[in-house]
Amino acid sequence: MVVGLAAAVISLWRLWLANHSALTEVVWAEDGVFPLCVEKAGFLTCLTDPFAGYLLVLPRLLAGLVALFPVAQWALVTNLLAALIAGLVSAGAFAVMRRFGTGRIVSVLVALLPVIAPIVGLEALNALGSTYMLLLYLATLIVAFPSPTRYAGWPAIVLVGLLLVLTALTIPLA
């Protein structure tokens, strides 16, 4: 939980460092298009209409939430949701690495990698339209570092299955 919170804060901090007003003023590409679609055509229509051949399910689901807020708040809501996703993915990565048996420090570094690596640009880290990158990262860790025990329990199996299906529906390359 601490790792997830740290990741969320780091992602917001990186955005703030790049542009102090970005948190409340910057909405990236699809992060504005999808809520507009929800406003104009409805949530279900926008959820199932391919965008450049991709479903981008997670960004579209989150767009339904963003569209509930006034347009003037979309940047803030979008950036907070993107930070929440980064935090959840990092917390998941930490759990995967610890369950695999890696040490605490290595697990923290692997978990925070998506939010601290300079190669991950702000338009990828703080954009709901690019959440597929974080989903792919976590899905790759889950597949590459399986639990050493044969039985992880049905809640873990269901969560992993949902993550993998969500990843595949978000970006077909998964």
Side-chain angles (χ1 to χ4, degrees), residues 6 10 14 23-24 51 76 79 88 105-106 119-120 131 146 149 151 156 168 174:
I10 291 168
R14 284 184 60 185
L23 184 63
T24 57
F51 181 80
L76 179 61
N79 285 309
L88 290 172
I105 293 172
V106 170
I119 197 166
V120 181
T131 54
T149 61
Y151 180 71

Side-chain angles (χ1 to χ4, degrees), residues 98-125:
R98 289 298 288 160
R99 176 166 263 198
F100 183 71
T102 59
R104 192 173 306 272
I105 293 172
V106 170
S107 297
V108 168
L109 290 174
V110 169
L112 293 179
L113 191 58
V115 295
I116 61 175
I119 197 166
V120 181
L122 293 175
E123 67 279 0
L125 184 58

Side-chain angles (χ1 to χ4, degrees), residues 1 8 16 25 35 39-40 46 48-49 61 63 76 79 83 86 100-102 105 113 118 129 136 145 151 174:
M1 183 170 202
W16 183 81
E25 295 179 6
E39 292 254 324
K40 300 293 182 194
C46 294
T48 58
D49 183 36
L61 287 171
L76 179 61
N79 285 309
F100 183 71
T102 59
I105 293 172
L113 191 58
L136 284 172
F145 297 97
Y151 180 71

Side-chain angles (χ1 to χ4, degrees), residues 18-44:
N19 178 353
H20 293 329
S21 61
L23 184 63
T24 57
E25 295 179 6
V26 174
V27 177
W28 301 97
E30 295 90 359
D31 293 353
V33 172
F34 293 156
L36 280 175
C37 180
V38 170
E39 292 254 324
K40 300 293 182 194
F43 178 71
L44 289 177

Side-chain angles (χ1 to χ4, degrees), residues 55-71:
L55 282 179
L56 295 173
V57 168
L58 182 58
R60 289 167 182 254
L61 287 171
L62 295 171
L65 184 61
V66 173
L68 296 174
F69 291 85
V71 174

